[in-house]
Amino acid sequence: MDNSRTWKDKTVDVMSKIAANRYLRAIRDGMAVIIPVTIVGSFFTIVTQLPITAWTNFIKPYAAGLAIPINFSMGFMAIYAAFAIAGRLAEDYHFDHISTGVVSVMVFLLLAVKPITTTPAAFKALGLKAAATVVPLTHFGAAGLFTAMLAGILTAEVTRICRDHHLVITLPDGVPPAVAASFSALIPATFLIVGAWVIHVGLNFDVNAFLQWVFSPLAYFGRDNLLSVIVPILLTDIVWLFGIHGAALATPIFWPLWYPNLNDNLAAISKGATAATVPHFMTEQFFQWFVYIGGAGATLSLCILLAFFSKSAYGKTIGRVTIIPGIFNINEPVIFGVPIVMNPYFAIPFVLAPLTMGIITWAATVLHLVSRTVALVPWTLPGPIGALMTTAWDWRAAVLCIINIIVATFIYYPFFKIWDRNQLKAEQDAAKADAEKAAPAAVAE
């Protein structure tokens, strides 16, 4: 047994294994795939919420039409996630990701959705000439994300097991690859589809309701309370200090809790609410634009200090290199360049700064000093601009973002000064040693 390894080494090993877990990676990457459609869909919300009376009056007749892309983006995210998560796992296992994703979508639909046949009175009220089958959309969005994750993982795993045990149909080499992949997926698809049908229809077991019950203790951290601000920040930033990407853990745990809140906000907007009166503020955008300004750890403030206040040559250089990416919320250069990972100088402010910013933002929101987030906007926007857009053009959000940057800068400052002083001393000592080595050589000449 190797007793020379420290607790830090062992902790890094454990966290690395968690972050490298293929299921967590598939969920994280699968959720990332749906970001473009949700952002574009959110633009329609932003357009309808411009704080200009003339524009509001002009756009009002078209509000129902503008809501359609929103419904098909946020309202269908579980379907996109089911496809993407299964596809990512399929790529990891080196089999066809498209056919696996398609099967996963059907498995999700069978597990989470049960069509309803309208009654005669209902179809007349809907203006239909005959009875029709209606598919409830409730679980197509964020409410079905846990089932989508299950469908994606289950589909990929059953397909892998069938392949490992040669329970697949193999066609000759001359068959087009797309056709061969479809037939290869036929047997696992049969197991999955029949199994999902038996569970939901045959046994009348609501998998979506069951999963929501299982994960209901986590739902506390999706509510609009202070603890829901503190816990995600602590979890995300502490694992970052060990070099583990915080999103690897935060995405599968918190996103299924935050997105239903954003869906509720969008639904309220469609019914005439404003960003100031929507029901929730606990969304992913709350953290993106008011807490993680510059990236995890609110490192834009550190980049500013390094670039403009550092006396050490290395501090100035790393600051000038990282400040531009930091403005656009890309902070891997500063995290691994300083480095912040496993660095005792910056461990405290890396956690304390975003924690303070989160509490300030929570208080400002509770006191109705700033509007709530109602749209997904590109995470690479500079902080104040992103805050302005996600709150439907509330100028106070941009001001709050700037205040948070200033607060984080003050929190980082004393730790930065100690680090910079030691770095400068190390550079001066190195320069002095080089000079002493060069002096005898000069005398000899």
Side-chain angles (χ1 to χ4, degrees):
M1 182 176 178
D2 184 6
N3 294 320
S4 64
R5 301 181 74 248
T6 66
W7 68 269
K8 291 182 180 179
D9 297 327
K10 295 175 182 178
T11 303
V12 169
D13 287 347
V14 171
M15 291 191 173
S16 296
K17 288 178 182 178
I18 293 173
N21 181 275
R22 61 164 47 97
Y23 303 128
L24 293 179
R25 283 191 290 109
I27 291 171
R28 181 196 64 197
D29 295 344
M31 294 294 291
V33 167
I34 69 177
I35 288 175
V37 295
T38 53
I39 288 177
V40 174
S42 292
F43 280 150
F44 287 84
T45 300
I46 295 170
V47 167
T48 62
Q49 296 296 307
L50 282 171
I52 303 171
T53 303
W55 175 258
T56 303
N57 294 334
F58 169 75
I59 211 73
K60 192 172 183 179
Y62 310 104
L66 289 170
I68 293 174
I70 301 171
N71 293 332
F72 284 129
S73 58
M74 298 292 294
F76 278 67
M77 66 163 54
I79 292 179
Y80 307 140
F83 182 93
I85 292 169
R88 288 300 189 196
L89 270 177
E91 289 178 345
D92 200 25
Y93 288 134
H94 305 293
F95 51 78
D96 185 66
H97 68 281
I98 296 178
S99 59
T100 306
V102 170
V103 174
S104 175
V105 170
M106 186 165 182
V107 171
F108 163 75
L109 292 173
L110 285 168
L111 290 176
V113 182
K114 186 176 287 187
I116 302 170
T117 301
T118 58
T119 63
F123 72 72
K124 286 181 180 178
L126 293 171
L128 302 173
K129 294 182 179 179
T133 299
V134 178
V135 179
L137 301 182
T138 307
H139 297 156
F140 281 40
L145 277 176
F146 285 124
T147 306
M149 294 175 186
L150 175 65
I153 293 171
L154 191 62
T155 300
E157 286 300 324
V158 170
T159 303
R160 178 189 63 81
I161 292 170
C162 287
R163 286 171 58 88
D164 290 348
H165 291 81
H166 306 291
L167 295 174
V168 293
I169 298 174
T170 304
L171 297 182
D173 292 338
V175 175
V179 177
S182 297
F183 275 89
S184 179
L186 186 58
I187 293 177
T190 301
F191 289 143
L192 287 159
I193 292 169
V194 171
W197 177 83
V198 168
I199 291 171
H200 196 185
V201 180
L203 301 177
N204 197 32
F205 182 72
D206 192 334
V207 174
N208 199 76
F210 174 73
L211 290 176
Q212 289 183 336
W213 174 78
V214 168
F215 291 105
S216 58
L218 290 177
Y220 185 86
F221 301 112
R223 297 174 187 171
D224 300 300
N225 53 54
L226 184 57
L227 195 60
S228 297
V229 175
I230 293 173
V231 171
I233 293 172
L234 289 177
L235 177 63
T236 302
D237 288 350
I238 288 173
V239 299
W240 256 119
L241 289 174
F242 292 93
I244 309 302
H245 201 300
L249 294 180
T251 298
I253 295 173
F254 298 114
W255 281 30
L257 308 176
W258 292 335
Y259 273 105
N261 291 346
L262 188 58
N263 269 353
D264 289 346
N265 288 353
L266 291 173
I269 289 286
S270 68
K271 294 176 182 178
T274 65
T277 60
V278 292
H280 300 293
F281 64 80
M282 190 50 54
T283 69
E284 185 267 341
Q285 298 292 283
F286 173 96
F287 295 92
Q288 176 67 59
W289 300 115
F290 300 105
V291 178
Y292 296 134
I293 306 169
T299 50
L300 177 59
S301 296
L302 178 59
C303 293
I304 292 170
L305 291 171
L306 288 166
F308 299 107
F309 298 95
S310 185
K311 293 182 179 179
S312 66
Y314 181 72
K316 290 178 182 177
T317 301
I318 198 70
R320 291 167 183 171
V321 169
T322 59
I323 191 167
I324 298 300
I327 289 172
F328 298 99
N329 304 306
I330 300 168
N331 70 340
E332 282 82 0
V334 71
I335 283 180
F336 296 105
V338 170
I340 294 174
V341 172
M342 305 297 287
N343 187 333
Y345 289 106
F346 294 117
I348 292 175
F350 189 82
V351 177
L352 182 60
L355 198 59
T356 305
M357 296 158 75
I359 293 171
I360 290 172
T361 306
W362 171 81
T365 309
V366 168
L367 296 173
H368 300 285
L369 300 178
V370 67
S371 294
R372 302 179 176 193
T373 56
V374 295
L376 282 172
V377 294
W379 62 271
T380 49
L381 287 173
I385 298 175
L388 184 70
M389 294 177 67
T390 194
T391 54
W393 312 105
D394 185 355
W395 62 269
R396 298 172 302 175
V399 172
L400 177 60
C401 180
I402 294 170
I403 290 172
N404 281 349
I405 293 172
I406 295 171
V407 168
T409 303
F410 277 104
I411 291 173
Y412 267 106
Y413 183 76
F415 301 93
F416 155 76
K417 287 297 292 182
I418 296 171
W419 175 87
D420 190 52
R421 189 184 304 122
N422 289 342
Q423 183 65 36
L424 179 61
K425 185 177 184 303
E427 291 174 359
Q428 291 172 340
D429 290 346
K432 184 178 179 180
D434 290 342
E436 291 174 350
K437 288 180 182 178
V443 171
E445 291 179 359

